[in-house]
mmCIF file of all heavy atoms in Angstrom:
data_model
loop_
_atom_site.group_PDB
_atom_site.id
_atom_site.type_symbol
_atom_site.label_atom_id
_atom_site.label_comp_id
_atom_site.label_asym_id
_atom_site.label_seq_id
_atom_site.Cartn_x
_atom_site.Cartn_y
_atom_site.Cartn_z
ATOM 1 N N LEU N 140 80.835 90.750 104.553
ATOM 2 C CA LEU N 140 81.998 90.944 105.418
ATOM 3 C C LEU N 140 81.927 92.282 106.107
ATOM 4 O O LEU N 140 82.208 92.369 107.332
ATOM 5 C CB LEU N 140 83.269 90.849 104.570
ATOM 6 C CG LEU N 140 84.568 91.042 105.333
ATOM 7 C CD1 LEU N 140 84.795 89.952 106.367
ATOM 8 C CD2 LEU N 140 85.757 91.054 104.333
ATOM 9 N N GLU N 141 81.571 93.350 105.354
ATOM 10 C CA GLU N 141 81.484 94.664 106.007
ATOM 11 C C GLU N 141 80.413 94.681 107.083
ATOM 12 O O GLU N 141 80.567 95.330 108.111
ATOM 13 C CB GLU N 141 81.237 95.740 104.961
ATOM 14 C CG GLU N 141 82.380 95.930 104.010
ATOM 15 C CD GLU N 141 82.087 96.983 102.983
ATOM 16 O OE1 GLU N 141 80.961 97.504 102.975
ATOM 17 O OE2 GLU N 141 82.990 97.335 102.149
ATOM 18 N N ASN N 142 79.282 94.075 106.822
ATOM 19 C CA ASN N 142 78.203 93.994 107.840
ATOM 20 C C ASN N 142 78.643 93.262 109.128
ATOM 21 O O ASN N 142 78.345 93.705 110.220
ATOM 22 C CB ASN N 142 76.925 93.309 107.267
ATOM 23 C CG ASN N 142 76.323 94.156 106.120
ATOM 24 O OD1 ASN N 142 76.481 95.366 106.094
ATOM 25 N ND2 ASN N 142 75.583 93.458 105.199
ATOM 26 N N ALA N 143 79.393 92.137 108.911
ATOM 27 C CA ALA N 143 79.816 91.435 110.095
ATOM 28 C C ALA N 143 80.854 92.262 110.885
ATOM 29 O O ALA N 143 80.778 92.309 112.137
ATOM 30 C CB ALA N 143 80.462 90.083 109.639
ATOM 31 N N VAL N 144 81.761 92.894 110.189
ATOM 32 C CA VAL N 144 82.760 93.734 110.881
ATOM 33 C C VAL N 144 82.086 94.886 111.601
ATOM 34 O O VAL N 144 82.452 95.251 112.731
ATOM 35 C CB VAL N 144 83.834 94.213 109.864
ATOM 36 C CG1 VAL N 144 84.751 95.306 110.493
ATOM 37 C CG2 VAL N 144 84.667 93.065 109.350
ATOM 38 N N ARG N 145 81.056 95.481 110.926
ATOM 39 C CA ARG N 145 80.368 96.592 111.599
ATOM 40 C C ARG N 145 79.698 96.145 112.879
ATOM 41 O O ARG N 145 79.724 96.883 113.870
ATOM 42 C CB ARG N 145 79.338 97.147 110.622
ATOM 43 C CG ARG N 145 78.614 98.418 111.155
ATOM 44 C CD ARG N 145 77.519 98.868 110.201
ATOM 45 N NE ARG N 145 78.018 99.141 108.853
ATOM 46 C CZ ARG N 145 77.778 98.393 107.798
ATOM 47 N NH1 ARG N 145 76.981 97.292 107.856
ATOM 48 N NH2 ARG N 145 78.292 98.712 106.638
ATOM 49 N N ALA N 146 79.126 94.962 112.877
ATOM 50 C CA ALA N 146 78.485 94.463 114.105
ATOM 51 C C ALA N 146 79.471 94.277 115.224
ATOM 52 O O ALA N 146 79.224 94.705 116.405
ATOM 53 C CB ALA N 146 77.785 93.183 113.770
ATOM 54 N N TYR N 147 80.635 93.717 114.872
ATOM 55 C CA TYR N 147 81.683 93.508 115.967
ATOM 56 C C TYR N 147 82.214 94.844 116.459
ATOM 57 O O TYR N 147 82.511 95.022 117.646
ATOM 58 C CB TYR N 147 82.826 92.636 115.429
ATOM 59 C CG TYR N 147 82.448 91.191 115.319
ATOM 60 C CD1 TYR N 147 82.579 90.510 114.126
ATOM 61 C CD2 TYR N 147 82.022 90.494 116.435
ATOM 62 C CE1 TYR N 147 82.241 89.146 114.056
ATOM 63 C CE2 TYR N 147 81.683 89.103 116.377
ATOM 64 C CZ TYR N 147 81.803 88.447 115.165
ATOM 65 O OH TYR N 147 81.536 87.153 115.067
ATOM 66 N N VAL N 148 82.381 95.807 115.563
ATOM 67 C CA VAL N 148 82.941 97.122 115.965
ATOM 68 C C VAL N 148 81.923 97.777 116.911
ATOM 69 O O VAL N 148 82.295 98.418 117.933
ATOM 70 C CB VAL N 148 83.228 97.962 114.760
ATOM 71 C CG1 VAL N 148 83.530 99.397 115.154
ATOM 72 C CG2 VAL N 148 84.393 97.355 113.974
ATOM 73 N N ARG N 149 80.655 97.735 116.593
ATOM 74 C CA ARG N 149 79.656 98.377 117.460
ATOM 75 C C ARG N 149 79.566 97.655 118.811
ATOM 76 O O ARG N 149 79.460 98.315 119.850
ATOM 77 C CB ARG N 149 78.327 98.303 116.783
ATOM 78 C CG ARG N 149 78.181 99.250 115.578
ATOM 79 C CD ARG N 149 76.832 99.150 114.914
ATOM 80 N NE ARG N 149 76.722 100.084 113.773
ATOM 81 C CZ ARG N 149 75.669 100.161 112.998
ATOM 82 N NH1 ARG N 149 74.600 99.296 113.125
ATOM 83 N NH2 ARG N 149 75.643 101.055 111.974
ATOM 84 N N LEU N 150 79.737 96.360 118.828
ATOM 85 C CA LEU N 150 79.791 95.631 120.093
ATOM 86 C C LEU N 150 80.960 96.044 120.968
ATOM 87 O O LEU N 150 80.875 96.215 122.155
ATOM 88 C CB LEU N 150 79.798 94.154 119.857
ATOM 89 C CG LEU N 150 79.912 93.203 121.089
ATOM 90 C CD1 LEU N 150 78.720 93.435 122.005
ATOM 91 C CD2 LEU N 150 79.969 91.767 120.628
ATOM 92 N N ALA N 151 82.144 96.230 120.277
ATOM 93 C CA ALA N 151 83.313 96.655 120.988
ATOM 94 C C ALA N 151 83.135 98.075 121.560
ATOM 95 O O ALA N 151 83.587 98.350 122.681
ATOM 96 C CB ALA N 151 84.529 96.596 120.049
ATOM 97 N N ASP N 152 82.525 98.969 120.791
ATOM 98 C CA ASP N 152 82.343 100.336 121.294
ATOM 99 C C ASP N 152 81.386 100.328 122.471
ATOM 100 O O ASP N 152 81.666 100.997 123.488
ATOM 101 C CB ASP N 152 81.743 101.160 120.107
ATOM 102 C CG ASP N 152 81.565 102.581 120.541
ATOM 103 O OD1 ASP N 152 82.550 103.315 120.724
ATOM 104 O OD2 ASP N 152 80.374 103.000 120.681
ATOM 105 N N THR N 153 80.353 99.492 122.378
ATOM 106 C CA THR N 153 79.395 99.442 123.535
ATOM 107 C C THR N 153 80.085 98.918 124.762
ATOM 108 O O THR N 153 79.914 99.433 125.933
ATOM 109 C CB THR N 153 78.171 98.584 123.159
ATOM 110 O OG1 THR N 153 77.552 99.150 122.004
ATOM 111 C CG2 THR N 153 77.178 98.561 124.251
ATOM 112 N N SER N 154 80.905 97.883 124.607
ATOM 113 C CA SER N 154 81.590 97.327 125.775
ATOM 114 C C SER N 154 82.590 98.262 126.365
ATOM 115 O O SER N 154 82.695 98.361 127.633
ATOM 116 C CB SER N 154 82.341 96.020 125.318
ATOM 117 O OG SER N 154 81.430 95.063 124.753
ATOM 118 N N LEU N 155 83.289 99.063 125.549
ATOM 119 C CA LEU N 155 84.256 99.977 126.110
ATOM 120 C C LEU N 155 83.537 101.116 126.850
ATOM 121 O O LEU N 155 84.013 101.584 127.871
ATOM 122 C CB LEU N 155 85.102 100.588 124.975
ATOM 123 C CG LEU N 155 86.253 101.488 125.414
ATOM 124 C CD1 LEU N 155 87.243 100.728 126.325
ATOM 125 C CD2 LEU N 155 87.026 102.048 124.224
ATOM 126 N N ARG N 156 82.394 101.505 126.347
ATOM 127 C CA ARG N 156 81.643 102.565 127.090
ATOM 128 C C ARG N 156 81.156 102.054 128.454
ATOM 129 O O ARG N 156 81.012 102.863 129.351
ATOM 130 C CB ARG N 156 80.434 103.022 126.213
ATOM 131 C CG ARG N 156 80.810 103.780 124.996
ATOM 132 C CD ARG N 156 79.630 104.217 124.190
ATOM 133 N NE ARG N 156 79.996 104.859 122.909
ATOM 134 C CZ ARG N 156 80.399 106.085 122.803
ATOM 135 N NH1 ARG N 156 80.453 106.857 123.852
ATOM 136 N NH2 ARG N 156 80.739 106.548 121.599
ATOM 137 N N LYS N 157 80.963 100.758 128.551
ATOM 138 C CA LYS N 157 80.576 100.177 129.838
ATOM 139 C C LYS N 157 81.777 99.884 130.734
ATOM 140 O O LYS N 157 81.570 99.427 131.879
ATOM 141 C CB LYS N 157 79.825 98.868 129.607
ATOM 142 C CG LYS N 157 78.448 99.042 128.901
ATOM 143 C CD LYS N 157 77.807 97.667 128.742
ATOM 144 C CE LYS N 157 76.441 97.868 128.050
ATOM 145 N NZ LYS N 157 75.753 96.542 127.813
ATOM 146 N N GLY N 158 82.959 100.111 130.233
ATOM 147 C CA GLY N 158 84.142 99.912 131.008
ATOM 148 C C GLY N 158 84.713 98.472 130.991
ATOM 149 O O GLY N 158 85.553 98.128 131.773
ATOM 150 N N ASP N 159 84.210 97.666 130.044
ATOM 151 C CA ASP N 159 84.669 96.284 129.971
ATOM 152 C C ASP N 159 85.678 96.208 128.826
ATOM 153 O O ASP N 159 85.319 95.938 127.642
ATOM 154 C CB ASP N 159 83.458 95.348 129.685
ATOM 155 C CG ASP N 159 83.819 93.927 129.814
ATOM 156 O OD1 ASP N 159 84.997 93.585 129.980
ATOM 157 O OD2 ASP N 159 82.893 93.048 129.779
ATOM 158 N N ALA N 160 86.933 96.403 129.128
ATOM 159 C CA ALA N 160 88.006 96.350 128.119
ATOM 160 C C ALA N 160 88.199 94.955 127.575
ATOM 161 O O ALA N 160 88.527 94.792 126.369
ATOM 162 C CB ALA N 160 89.317 96.881 128.712
ATOM 163 N N ALA N 161 88.011 93.947 128.424
ATOM 164 C CA ALA N 161 88.177 92.557 127.938
ATOM 165 C C ALA N 161 87.145 92.185 126.911
ATOM 166 O O ALA N 161 87.511 91.576 125.857
ATOM 167 C CB ALA N 161 88.100 91.590 129.116
ATOM 168 N N ALA N 162 85.935 92.582 127.077
ATOM 169 C CA ALA N 162 84.882 92.317 126.031
ATOM 170 C C ALA N 162 85.184 93.096 124.762
ATOM 171 O O ALA N 162 84.952 92.607 123.686
ATOM 172 C CB ALA N 162 83.530 92.703 126.630
ATOM 173 N N THR N 163 85.711 94.300 124.903
ATOM 174 C CA THR N 163 86.091 95.096 123.706
ATOM 175 C C THR N 163 87.163 94.373 122.931
ATOM 176 O O THR N 163 87.095 94.269 121.699
ATOM 177 C CB THR N 163 86.569 96.458 124.175
ATOM 178 O OG1 THR N 163 85.559 97.135 124.873
ATOM 179 C CG2 THR N 163 86.985 97.304 122.962
ATOM 180 N N ALA N 164 88.178 93.828 123.620
ATOM 181 C CA ALA N 164 89.234 93.120 122.924
ATOM 182 C C ALA N 164 88.688 91.860 122.231
ATOM 183 O O ALA N 164 89.140 91.492 121.165
ATOM 184 C CB ALA N 164 90.342 92.784 123.925
ATOM 185 N N ARG N 165 87.778 91.146 122.881
ATOM 186 C CA ARG N 165 87.232 89.939 122.302
ATOM 187 C C ARG N 165 86.443 90.274 121.074
ATOM 188 O O ARG N 165 86.527 89.572 120.012
ATOM 189 C CB ARG N 165 86.320 89.188 123.297
ATOM 190 C CG ARG N 165 87.116 88.513 124.395
ATOM 191 C CD ARG N 165 86.182 87.572 125.184
ATOM 192 N NE ARG N 165 85.099 88.272 125.815
ATOM 193 C CZ ARG N 165 85.118 88.738 127.076
ATOM 194 N NH1 ARG N 165 86.229 88.620 127.753
ATOM 195 N NH2 ARG N 165 84.037 89.345 127.546
ATOM 196 N N ALA N 166 85.673 91.302 121.056
ATOM 197 C CA ALA N 166 84.882 91.697 119.869
ATOM 198 C C ALA N 166 85.774 92.095 118.718
ATOM 199 O O ALA N 166 85.576 91.692 117.517
ATOM 200 C CB ALA N 166 83.937 92.831 120.220
ATOM 201 N N LEU N 167 86.871 92.852 118.994
ATOM 202 C CA LEU N 167 87.770 93.257 117.953
ATOM 203 C C LEU N 167 88.600 92.065 117.457
ATOM 204 O O LEU N 167 88.917 91.993 116.236
ATOM 205 C CB LEU N 167 88.702 94.330 118.471
ATOM 206 C CG LEU N 167 88.060 95.701 118.742
ATOM 207 C CD1 LEU N 167 89.042 96.665 119.359
ATOM 208 C CD2 LEU N 167 87.489 96.287 117.449
ATOM 209 N N ALA N 168 88.892 91.083 118.304
ATOM 210 C CA ALA N 168 89.533 89.877 117.861
ATOM 211 C C ALA N 168 88.687 89.080 116.909
ATOM 212 O O ALA N 168 89.153 88.537 115.892
ATOM 213 C CB ALA N 168 89.948 89.005 119.074
ATOM 214 N N SER N 169 87.382 89.028 117.133
ATOM 215 C CA SER N 169 86.441 88.336 116.226
ATOM 216 C C SER N 169 86.398 89.071 114.865
ATOM 217 O O SER N 169 86.351 88.400 113.823
ATOM 218 C CB SER N 169 85.078 88.305 116.846
ATOM 219 O OG SER N 169 85.072 87.605 118.079
#
Side-chain angles (χ1 to χ4, degrees):
L140 179 63
E141 291 180 358
N142 292 336
V144 170
R145 185 185 302 110
Y147 283 124
V148 170
R149 290 178 178 176
L150 177 61
D152 182 70
T153 303
S154 301
L155 185 61
R156 292 182 186 277
K157 293 180 180 179
D159 192 352
T163 302
R165 288 194 297 271
L167 291 175
S169 299

